[in-house]
Amino acid sequence: LIAWGFARVPLWDFIKYARSEFLLALGTASTEAVLPRIMTKLTKSGNPRSITGLVVPTGYSFNLDGAAIYLSISLLFLAQAFGIELSLGQQLAALGVLLLTSKGMAGVPGSSFLALSATATALGIFPVAGVALLLGADRLMDSMRVSVNLLGNCVATFIVSKWEGQLDYDQMRATFAAAASADEEESASVLQPA
């Protein structure tokens, strides 16, 4: 909503434009694999190189939206699985710890699982062995966390560029239009008989 409402960026067009980077990040469960490619695409999308060069690498360390969401939901799920009622104060304290924990996580697949284990131990809300309940789904969830983290960093780049008044809308529209027409040509060539 912020990308569309504040920066007026057609986010779906950007996702289609950068789909190969999103698919690579999804497949590797790591945003590190696409760092140079996503920075190039953000620059071609009308963001200045200076803003892209600051926001994206910083976001890789501190803007881990997917991890923060996953950790919070997982903690509440595990508390419910163990039949533990958390007061609003406990939930807010856990949320604060999890937000801080997610900010410095390494770009290693599965690091959120370790952060959740450490947070469960520190808060003492439920037995840390209960985190193993999530182990089966963690690889799938890790891929989803990575996608949300990557999208969050891209949106942050557009927001900062707009905020600084340096987002080139003409270049953005031209880039997205060129990518869309290339996709249409590719689809048409695939559908035509040889």
Side-chain angles (χ1 to χ4, degrees):
L1 291 174
I2 294 173
W4 184 82
F6 176 71
R8 295 287 184 207
V9 174
L11 203 53
W12 185 248
D13 290 342
F14 174 73
I15 292 171
K16 288 191 296 187
Y17 169 61
R19 75 177 169 273
S20 62
E21 286 74 18
F22 280 93
L23 290 173
L24 181 59
L26 186 69
T28 61
S30 174
T31 55
E32 308 301 327
V34 298
L35 176 65
R37 292 174 57 176
I38 202 68
M39 288 178 69
T40 300
K41 288 217 170 169
L42 283 166
T43 302
K44 289 180 180 178
S45 299
N47 295 289
R49 183 179 295 271
S50 60
I51 291 176
T52 302
L54 174 68
V55 174
V56 175
T58 304
Y60 269 48
S61 296
F62 300 109
N63 187 24
L64 302 173
D65 302 334
I69 293 167
Y70 169 76
L71 291 171
S72 303
I73 291 173
S74 296
L75 184 90
L76 292 175
F77 168 76
L78 290 171
Q80 288 180 351
F82 283 103
I84 299 168
E85 285 291 322
L86 296 177
S87 68
L88 182 60
Q90 287 175 310
Q91 289 179 30
L92 291 176
L95 178 64
V97 170
L98 291 169
L99 285 174
L100 291 174
T101 304
S102 72
K103 294 305 171 200
M105 288 179 11
V108 178
S111 60
S112 302
F113 190 75
L114 297 174
L116 182 60
S117 299
T119 304
T121 302
L123 295 175
I125 296 174
F126 51 81
V128 73
V131 177
L133 290 171
L134 300 174
L135 193 56
D138 191 61
R139 175 67 173 124
L140 176 65
M141 294 305 297
D142 200 29
S143 296
M144 298 302 117
R145 285 191 298 268
V146 164
S147 299
V148 173
N149 289 342
L150 183 59
L151 184 60
N153 291 329
C154 294
V155 168
T157 304
F158 282 113
I159 297 293
V160 172
S161 295
K162 165 67 175 171
W163 191 342
E164 293 296 318
Q166 296 182 22
L167 183 57
D168 186 346
Y169 286 100
D170 294 332
Q171 182 180 353
M172 179 180 62
R173 286 186 202 101
T175 300
F176 293 167
S181 65
D183 288 343
E184 289 174 11
E185 289 175 12
E186 183 180 321
S187 297
S189 68
V190 169
L191 295 176
Q192 289 180 344

